[in-house]
Amino acid sequence: MTGRQVTALVVLLASQFMMAADFSVLNVALPEVGVSLGFATGSLQWITTTFALCAAGCTLVFGRVGDAPSPRRTSRTCGSSPETTATIAGWRN
């Protein structure tokens, strides 16, 4: 593997890890989120489903944005934006 391929693989693995970590945190915090929002236990699945749909939508949008102009420039500027924003928002609370 070349250096660029290794770098691409590391970036993809890191982003996949971040998504897995986000879903793990959501599942651990789900009971408290349900109590805070006043949801019944049976309705908690909608929170997870909504989170998954938003994550998939962002993946599709940023994938398309990355394919349009220069993939190298776009991945540096947009690739980490959703995860960085979510992490900062989590630390603020």
Side-chain angles (χ1 to χ4, degrees):
M1 292 181 81
T2 66
R4 291 181 74 182
Q5 290 173 331
V6 170
T7 302
L9 180 62
V10 168
V11 168
L12 291 172
L13 289 174
S15 65
Q16 185 63 33
F17 172 76
M18 287 298 293
M19 287 303 294
D22 283 346
F23 277 102
S24 296
V25 168
L26 174 68
N27 285 325
V28 168
L30 200 56
E32 184 64 30
V33 170
V35 169
S36 297
L37 296 175
F39 285 175
T41 306
S43 300
L44 293 179
Q45 68 182 356
W46 289 105
I47 297 172
T48 306
T49 303
T50 303
F51 185 79
L53 286 173
C54 291
C58 285
T59 302
L60 289 172
V61 168
F62 283 111
R64 179 64 182 125
V65 167
D67 287 341
S70 164
R72 176 182 288 173
R73 184 180 62 208
T74 304
S75 66
R76 273 187 271 157
T77 57
C78 297
S80 62
S81 295
E83 297 302 327
T84 304
T85 304
T87 303
I88 291 170
W91 281 339
R92 286 190 57 134
N93 294 327

